[in-house]
Amino acid sequence: KLGDSAELREQKILAETAWCCLQSTYLQTRFVRLRDAGKLSETLPLIQEDLELVKLLIKNYLSDSRIGYEATNHYFYSINELMEKVLASNWLIKELGK
């Protein structure tokens, strides 16, 4: 069955990972623009969405050793950097909720 094939699951993981990286870049750009415009309260949904993206990225990172790897730099990002993003996002959510 095509939907259960290992190749299809692999492609799904890679597509999700690319989506996470691209969408996170978009969210970061929106965050900075809103922050610089003094609209910090409007950034909370962006941070929450980015937190969900990094959780998906971590899941994919742990399931495929190629994710995050770049030959000349060895690692484009590591699990520690992804976990740091989770901590930072949770801290921001907490601070904005005050």
Side-chain angles (χ1 to χ4, degrees):
K1 185 174 164 183
L2 181 62
D4 292 334
S5 75
E7 288 178 13
L8 187 59
R9 284 192 304 277
E10 179 181 324
Q11 291 303 314
K12 180 180 182 264
I13 287 171
L14 296 176
E16 283 177 345
T17 299
W19 166 252
C20 289
C21 293
L22 294 170
Q23 183 67 1
S24 183
T25 300
Y26 165 76
L27 293 170
Q28 177 68 25
T29 302
R30 294 266 308 133
F31 175 88
V32 169
R33 288 183 174 174
L34 288 168
R35 181 199 64 197
D36 291 352
K39 299 178 180 178
L40 202 54
S41 63
E42 295 179 33
T43 63
L44 185 58
L46 304 176
I47 298 165
Q48 291 168 327
E49 181 179 348
D50 202 39
L51 179 57
E52 294 307 311
L53 289 172
V54 77
K55 288 177 183 178
L56 177 58
L57 186 56
I58 289 168
K59 180 182 77 98
N60 290 347
Y61 179 96
L62 294 173
S63 71
D64 189 327
S65 63
R66 298 172 297 171
I67 295 173
Y69 187 77
E70 195 280 320
T72 59
N73 294 321
H74 300 289
Y75 276 92
F76 187 68
Y77 49 81
S78 68
I79 192 66
N80 289 337
E81 291 168 323
L82 296 174
M83 293 305 295
E84 184 177 343
K85 185 170 183 175
V86 169
L87 293 173
S89 296
N90 283 325
W91 182 85
L92 280 170
I93 289 167
K94 182 180 173 188
E95 288 298 306
L96 289 170
K98 286 182 177 179

